[in-house]
Amino acid sequence: MTVCLVLLSVVAVTAAVPVPRLLTRSVWPEREPVVGLWVWQCLVATVLLCCLTALALGAAAVFGTVRAQLFAPAPPAVAAAYNLSAGPLWAAVLTVFLACGAAWTAAVLLRELVEARRRRAVSRTHLRERAPDLPAGLPTARGPLLVLEDEYPDAWWMPGSPPQLIVTTGALQRLTDHQLDAVLTHERGHARARHDWLLHLSTALATGFPRVPLFAHFCDQTHRLVELAADDAASRRCGHLTTALALIQLNQHRGVLSCASSSRLLGERVDRLLEPPPRLDRRHRALTTATAALVPLLPLLITFAPGLTALT
């Protein structure tokens, strides 16, 4: 068990500290934002699995009831292979630490979910005030698209039940038909990929563990890469220039080309659309995706290796 805990700790620290810093310095995620998002998710899954499996092993070593439940279906040789009865004192301390971390993780995820539901309810209430339901007997609008009477050009996707795509009349007046199609495709790209759930997860982890480099970088990169991925979806359908012009038209009054920190991402998106970087070749994309998918298996392999060895 001691060897397993040490290896799990090494994998978790490696995935949480040096690897995210190297990944943030890489240029290729900007060329393939969808693959980049997948790699970040696999890194987070690796760290969480390391903590979860280490917690299970530590709890089995400290508490006999947990040990009996975990190894009940297994032959005695499997339980003996982990040598749980000889757990060191630091393993007990690590177990308590991981248990507190697991409870805190559940708390911050639940808090983010509750806050997201509350914000969504407030937004829908405000939306009903601006676009009230028609009186009974009149035909109601069908579909997820809702047009608001507002001279402020804007468009956004509101997740929930039912999800809605909101566009203001200011955006309809400012955008051409092709540019409007690009904006709608961009927002549908967010909806299809369920980027809202990914943003909630990254925000919760970064808020709960602000000193962990992986979670801080995961939050920053997720907010950036989801926009690049949606831009790519729009540009594939409507063209890079049309998408860039639509982005400029919608955000020109916000200073999209300024150097302010809040507008820096918008400027980078426009530059990327006007001068699109070459995509990775198919082989490179497949290799990166497969390699990232195998990384979360490391904690499981380390955890089950003693038991599998005992069975053979």
Side-chain angles (χ1 to χ4, degrees):
M1 183 199 69
T2 301
V3 176
C4 290
L5 290 179
V6 171
L7 291 177
L8 289 172
S9 300
V10 171
V11 173
V13 171
T14 303
V17 181
V19 175
R21 290 174 177 169
L22 291 175
L23 190 56
T24 54
R25 298 171 187 170
S26 302
V27 181
W28 70 263
E30 182 177 342
R31 301 166 59 185
E32 293 292 343
V34 175
V35 180
L37 285 170
W38 172 250
V39 172
W40 281 106
Q41 292 175 74
C42 289
L43 280 178
V44 172
T46 300
V47 172
L48 295 181
L49 280 174
C50 283
C51 295
L52 184 62
T53 51
L55 175 60
L57 289 177
V62 176
F63 302 103
T65 305
V66 177
R67 185 189 317 162
Q69 293 294 328
L70 284 179
F71 293 92
V78 174
Y82 288 92
N83 195 19
L84 297 173
S85 59
L89 178 62
W90 65 266
V93 176
L94 179 63
T95 301
V96 174
F97 178 76
L98 290 174
C100 294
W104 180 243
T105 302
V108 296
L109 290 175
L110 180 61
R111 182 181 61 184
E112 177 64 24
L113 179 61
V114 171
E115 283 296 311
R117 290 175 65 89
R118 185 191 63 81
R119 291 192 299 265
R120 194 176 302 161
V122 171
S123 299
R124 288 192 178 276
T125 301
H126 181 58
L127 192 61
R128 281 195 297 269
E129 294 174 354
R130 297 179 64 187
D133 295 333
L134 294 176
L138 293 179
T140 57
R142 295 182 179 179
L145 182 62
L146 176 65
V147 178
L148 285 182
E149 184 70 31
D150 193 342
E151 63 180 9
Y152 189 85
D154 205 354
W156 69 96
W157 181 268
M158 181 179 291
S161 181
Q164 282 187 307
L165 178 59
I166 298 100
V167 182
T168 65
T169 53
L172 296 179
Q173 294 170 358
R174 179 168 293 192
L175 300 175
T176 65
D177 292 343
H178 292 295
Q179 292 171 359
L180 180 61
D181 190 20
V183 171
L184 298 182
T185 304
H186 175 99
E187 298 302 332
R188 291 192 189 102
H190 285 312
R192 280 195 299 268
R194 302 307 302 265
H195 286 160
D196 55 317
W197 286 103
L198 196 55
L199 292 172
H200 291 325
L201 173 63
S202 63
T203 301
L205 292 176
T207 303
F209 303 93
R211 295 184 179 276
V212 178
L214 171 62
F215 297 149
H217 291 309
F218 178 51
C219 183
D220 294 339
Q221 292 299 313
T222 297
H223 282 76
R224 178 173 177 267
L225 292 177
V226 295
E227 295 299 334
L228 299 186
D231 287 344
D232 287 348
S235 62
R236 282 194 295 269
R237 175 183 174 89
C238 306
H240 292 90
L241 181 59
T242 300
T243 306
L245 292 176
L247 190 62
I248 293 174
Q249 289 295 331
L250 274 184
N251 297 278
Q252 194 171 20
H253 54 288
R254 301 170 184 159
V256 64
L257 300 180
S258 69
C259 295
S261 58
S262 59
S263 304
R264 190 171 303 157
L265 177 58
L266 289 171
E268 292 177 359
R269 290 167 58 192
V270 171
D271 292 339
R272 180 175 177 272
L273 287 167
L274 293 177
E275 296 181 4
R279 296 190 63 185
L280 300 179
D281 58 83
R282 184 175 300 180
R283 178 177 173 274
H284 196 170
R285 292 199 303 270
L287 182 61
T288 304
T289 303
T291 303
L294 292 176
V295 173
L297 298 180
L298 279 176
L300 301 179
L301 180 62
I302 293 171
T303 303
F304 291 112
L308 294 176
T309 303
L311 288 177
T312 55

